[in-house]
Amino acid sequence: MEADAVSEGGAMAEERPPRLVDYFVVAGLAGNGAPIPEETWVPEPSGPLRPSRPAEPITDVAVIARALGEEVPQGYTCIQASAGGHPLEFSAGLLGGTQPVICYRRGRDKPPLVELGVLYEGKERPKPGFQVLDTTPYSHSANLAPPGPGHPRTYLTYRRAAEGAGLHALGITDLCLVLPSKGEGTPHTYCRLPRNLNPGMWGPAVYLCYKVGLAKANTLVYEAELLGRYPEEDNEAFPLPESVPVFCLPMGATIECWPSQTKYPVPVFSTFVLTGAAGDKVYGAALQFYEAFPRARLSERQARALGLLSAVERGRALGGRAVRSRRAIAVLSHWPAFPAFRAFLTFLYRYSVSGPHRLPLEAHISHFIHNVPFPSPQRPRILVQMSPYDNLLLCQPVSSPLPLSGASFLQLLQSLGPELAVTLLMAVLTEHKLLVHSLRPDLLTSVCEALVSMIFPLHWQCPYIPLCPLVLADVLSAPVPFIVGIHSSYFDLHDPPADVICVDLDTNTLFQTEEKKLLSPRTLPRRPYKVLLATLTTLYQQLDQTYTGPEEEASLEFLLTDYEAVCGRRARLEREVQGAFLRFMACLLKGYRDFLRPLTQAPSEGSRDVDNLFYLQGFLKSRERPSHKLYSQLLHTQMFSQFIEECSFGSARHAALEFFDSCVDKVHPEQEKPETAPLVELEELSGSELTVFITPPEEPPAPEGSESTPQYCYDGFPELRAELFESPQEQPGALPVPGPSRSAPSSPAPRRTKQEMKVAQRMAQKSATVPELWARCLLGHCYGLWFLCLPAYVRSAPSRVRALHTAYHVLREMESRKVVLPDEVCYRVLMQLCSYYGQPVLSVRVMLEMRRAGIVPNTITYGYYNKAVLESKWPSGTPGGRLRWAKLRNVVLGAAQFRQPLRDRQRRQQQQQQQQQVSAHQEAGSSQTESYLERPSPTRPLQRQTTWAGRSLRDPASPTGRLVKSGSLGSARGAQPTVEAGVAHKMPPDLPPPARRSPMESLLRPRERPGSTASESSASLGSEWDLSESSLSSLSLRRSSERLSDTPGSLQPPSLEILLSSCSLCRACDSLVYDEEIMAGWAPDDSNLNTTCPFCACPFVPLLSVQTLDSRPSAPSPNPAPAGASSSKDAPLPGGPGPVLSDRRLCLALDEPQLCNGHTGGASRRVESGAWAYLSPLVLRKELESLVENEGSEVLALPELPAAHPIIFWNLLWYFQRLRLPSILPGLVLASCDGPPPPQLPQAPSPWLMPDPASVQVRLLWDILTPDPSSCPPLYVLWRVHSQIPQRVVWPGPVPACLSLALLESVLRHVGLNEVHKAVGLLLETLGPPPAGLHLQRGIYREILFLTMAAMGKDHVDIVAFDKKYKSAFNKLASSMGKEELRQRRAQMPTTKAIDCRKCFGAPLEC
């Protein structure tokens, strides 16, 4: 594997990652030279005190044949009785029996025995390193089996410690024999050999047991003290705990007397975990070693206790003795990187016992703390070079949804086996007292961490001390459940309490009393238990093939090349063991969410009780009957109560709990085999193999002309000197990495969890294959974008409660549109806002709406909901007052309905009078009409009505009917029509329908009917709210043109007009790709910006074109002109009579300031244009979440947002306007143009965020904003040119002669006669074959559609029917021309996915 290496400075200058180590500590006896107090520290007995045992280990074992007259050798002890006191006689009563007896001898003259065994001769061979005890000291056979055929010869085997192992080598300290037939069991902390010493048919079975320990004498024990630390100052977020020294030396700081020739033992590595008040863990690693201790600091009594003085001759010192004391160095961190800590501490110890050195030890300590970071995606591999021969490698941990811990499931399985591991799982689930002990202190932490991790998602709530110091051993007598790890030498002094389950990791045994016996494994759910046991057994058999070598012994070449490959198998097995326990817990709690009880009323006393939050009895009845006893104990544990409370009210573990819910959905407890897909889906780390090298600290420069000489030499670990530590150097450009910003209470953290992102990604990939689902998927992400911006919108709204109700109506609108939501962020954000603004009733309505939509809330959403109901202030008083007000409202509404017929009668009378007046005017002739135009009457409104065919509807009986503009100026009484009323104004009920004839027969011909006019929609194809077929009337969303005065003369053009278009050009084939085609071409990936061109299938990045038209004066004038004044001299005066439809120019003057495609006349405007990447809702949501997480939701309400994050801002504005959702984004554009706003109060809404709707107008265009003059002009633009309709952009280039008005009329005539195939054929014939023919950037489908909409009006074209006709025409032409040729000439229609996207996002945009 090749690794790209970079230097430390270049890679770490970007940002300052979190440190690997927080503190360095030295613990032991105070080294200030003062005498040691004579009072030794002996722990208080927390159990029955055992009798004193010999301090010397067993060095020899022998077999004596008493029947042959052999006697016990001198110095040997004979085992004459069993552990229970029963007599022992091998081959008793048998003829020829030798009556063998086992003897042993203690001493320190040779290395102790470390292991025993039993050998059946002829059936097996001795293990490597073992010696066979085949003869007695008197040269007779040492066979323990009775004589006779059929019994194999049975011999003892032993293994001795290596020569020079030292005083502190582990050895056998006790032997005993047990008779199972007498009810005797293996004594605590003893290891029983599996072979029977009496394999014959006669006599009881006899088993040999031995105890391994550390036999030491002449030892004084004191409580450890803090000798040094770095840094000296406490970190505010993490102060150094005072109890660290006793955890560094859990068995106390000792003073020992050794023979002078004794070698120093190998330092002992241990780990420990400190748990804070909030449940956060701090991991520690310590290295214990011995140093010389001065005799002068000992009193006479202490020297005598250590054996330094003769007990016979008072005061005479004994020679050949050395005094040693135990000390420890340790590091503390928030990361369980125990292998790295072991390598670093080992390096420091070796550095202190070697030398001389050019650098002090303090320089290496400070350099490691300040410059070694924890691995991150930017630095996945960190190689720390502490010296030319000492290296350690840090790798980024596998990204897993499970919480990070120091657990080692492989060590748990290797130490206990599959069956015992499952037994301990049951003990932890039922909250028993567990005492884990071992002679290896580094094993205790990893196994205890695995015990509390395998019950995920439950969290152990009782005392938890993985490595318990003797000073805290009284916790073993606590009346509460606990998990405690302790050194096995504790049991040399005390017996364990009777109600404690002891687990010996060295002998793989479990000790329990009858009164506290565990439940049978049969009480576990049957099938999940069988799957768990089978999986653990399979993995247990694979453990011997894994690499178990210590990492600190690995070479640099191994770390850079083969480390990951060799250790990868072990890491995979680790994940598989953890996944087996996770599957069992998911099966154990399957369906628990169905029994959660949400709060639906005002909270009362006891609302947080488990009985009120969870249906315990219902959950118990849903389980298997044989497992009821286990579930009864589990449901009443503290950790299950805490689990239900976390699920009900949320916690810091919400992401992990949500991941567990996904595991529950995946598992099938009824199966007898595990699922094929793993529950833990590891995230792919960054593909970078970047390795950051951390070099050793720099040596001080030597004076010129001389060489630097080593000056630091140590006899032991030195006392830390503050002046020798290196101060941390601020790297240029290195800034602290900001943690996850805590959102304000009014802006809940809207970021999705990793699990929600994975689910959304899978849903998007699945929806991409189904056209209709893909459109709804994009729509769901668009609504998710709006709810991400909801906190800023509510905070800026004048009425926060009304804004919350608006959001609730949006939820209901989503349900009516059958939006596919990829997650629950929409509901979650609204629920937390309800909690913050005190609207618990609305929160309950949101929950009911969520359930009505068939969505089961996950842990996070459920927690936000219950917190909103529990913590919010509920409305006081009885509901009687609200009911009375509701009755009064119904009475008023009923009275208004009764008055409605009277209003209708009055309206009909007024219409008849107006018709009579119009008839009188018509009799006066056209000259009188012109006089009316010159001198309009001030009492009549200017209104006109257009039809589907673009002509006015006139009643034959009353040819002078009113002219009403749809959704426009309103009546003379100043009524402001809403979105709902827009459709009703288009067809007055008193006008008869026109005669039935072909629409194209009445289609206007500019040459034949120069006085006719196009429809209102042909002049202005839609407006900023004409984007969908359905209206959001419940949201009270109003058009920017609805805030008008009572008279039409007070109309004002918008101060700022924003034009947006997503139409993009594909450079590969020079074709315009429109909005729905871009949506259909997006990939279901939240990191892919490309879409696919429907013509050439090439990927490209679409652009969102923006144009702002600012008509506000740059400087205030003393006499400003009226805002609605027009420079046209032919504009009608306000209040005058309406012109006839034959005068097109004056009719267009009646329209709003925008004309066809945004055309305005008169006032000058400042125009600014730009184009930014058009992002998929999936990509935009990811970017928006990152922005909110880094800068907070307040950034969405700042006027600097359009300039600081233009891509996010303009895409959000596009989608919100497209879906007709209220937002503060248009106000931000206005505010950004005005400069920085004045300071506002923190709680006051900003006035620039809610401007007058008439001041900002946002229009979404279907076609491009700026046409390419070198391309062929679109047909709909040519139609408007021939029709003399003002346009926003004048076509800048030449017009081909073949694209005449006759061609356009012929195409329209064919479309009107349902002969679309002829229209397509006519265009193909006119354009000519490629490449010689004319090249249109728009396809044939788009040209005909836009031309039809321009001539007939967008509101009068049924695009669904047009698509059906065009599809039929395409199939008809394909039979003659071929589909491939039609595609090459761009005559195909959009794909089904594109059409579904257009339908799902509402009515088409304006051209």
Side-chain angles (χ1 to χ4, degrees), residues 806-886:
T806 298
Y808 172 72
H809 288 299
V810 171
L811 285 178
R812 300 193 63 181
E813 179 70 16
M814 290 162 51
E815 181 183 356
S816 64
R817 300 183 66 173
K818 298 180 181 180
V819 176
V820 178
L821 291 177
D823 48 60
E824 303 171 12
V825 172
C826 302
Y827 299 95
R828 193 155 64 231
V829 171
L830 184 54
M831 286 178 181
Q832 190 171 0
L833 289 175
C834 292
S835 173
Y836 180 72
Y837 291 108
Q839 298 294 318
V841 178
L842 183 59
S843 185
V844 175
R845 294 174 61 188
V846 173
M847 172 59 74
L848 296 178
E849 194 70 27
M850 191 175 183
R851 291 194 169 185
R852 190 180 299 113
I855 301 176
V856 178
N858 60 18
T859 302
I860 309 175
T861 308
Y862 192 77
Y864 280 137
Y865 164 75
N866 278 327
K867 287 181 65 176
V869 175
L870 185 66
E871 299 176 0
S872 300
K873 184 179 179 181
W874 283 71
S876 59
T878 60
R882 294 193 298 271
L883 292 177
R884 287 191 290 269
W885 279 109

Side-chain angles (χ1 to χ4, degrees), residues 9 46 70 147 161 199 337 399 461 507 529 714 733 739 912 1078 1098 1102 1124 1176 1196 1213 1275 1290 1306 1323 1372 1394:
S46 58
E70 296 182 358
S399 182
Q461 299 293 315
T507 61
Y529 165 68
Y714 307 104
Q912 293 177 0
I1078 293 175
C1098 294
S1176 161
L1196 300 178
L1213 182 61
L1275 301 184
V1290 180
S1306 299
L1323 280 180
K1372 184 177 296 185

Side-chain angles (χ1 to χ4, degrees), residues 267-278:
V268 178
F269 179 73
S270 62
T271 58
F272 56 90
V273 179
L274 304 178
T275 306

Side-chain angles (χ1 to χ4, degrees), residues 188 433 435-437 491 496 500-504 509-512:
H188 186 222
K433 297 181 180 181
L435 179 59
V436 184
H437 59 90
F491 300 102
V500 174
I501 298 175
C502 297
V503 183
D504 191 346
T509 52
L510 183 142
F511 302 89
Q512 56 182 335

Side-chain angles (χ1 to χ4, degrees), residues 449 648 861 898 1037 1124 1247 1326:
E449 282 281 281
S648 300
T861 308
F898 279 112
L1037 307 180
T1326 304

Side-chain angles (χ1 to χ4, degrees), residues 104-171:
Y104 61 88
R105 184 180 73 88
R106 298 180 182 273
R108 294 189 181 273
D109 55 339
K110 60 176 67 174
L113 302 180
V114 295
E115 191 173 356
L116 294 177
V118 178
L119 175 67
Y120 288 167
E121 188 180 32
K123 291 189 175 182
E124 58 184 347
R125 293 181 179 180
K127 296 180 180 179
F130 279 74
Q131 297 182 15
V132 181
L133 187 64
D134 53 356
T135 60
T136 66
Y138 301 95
S139 301
H140 293 103
S141 175
N143 178 25
L144 297 173
H151 307 306
R153 290 177 175 269
T154 304
Y155 299 102
L156 290 180
T157 61
Y158 62 88
R159 183 169 64 89
R160 192 181 300 275
E163 290 290 341
L167 183 67
H168 295 267
L170 292 176

Side-chain angles (χ1 to χ4, degrees), residues 922-937:
Q922 283 188 349
E923 294 176 357
S926 60
S927 60
Q928 191 174 358
T929 303
E930 296 177 359
S931 65
Y932 279 132
L933 290 176
E934 295 175 1
R935 298 186 305 274
S937 171

Side-chain angles (χ1 to χ4, degrees), residues 80 276 295 398 817 966 973 1405:
Q80 299 181 356
R295 290 191 181 189
V398 177
R817 300 183 66 173
S966 65
R973 292 186 298 272
L1405 310 175

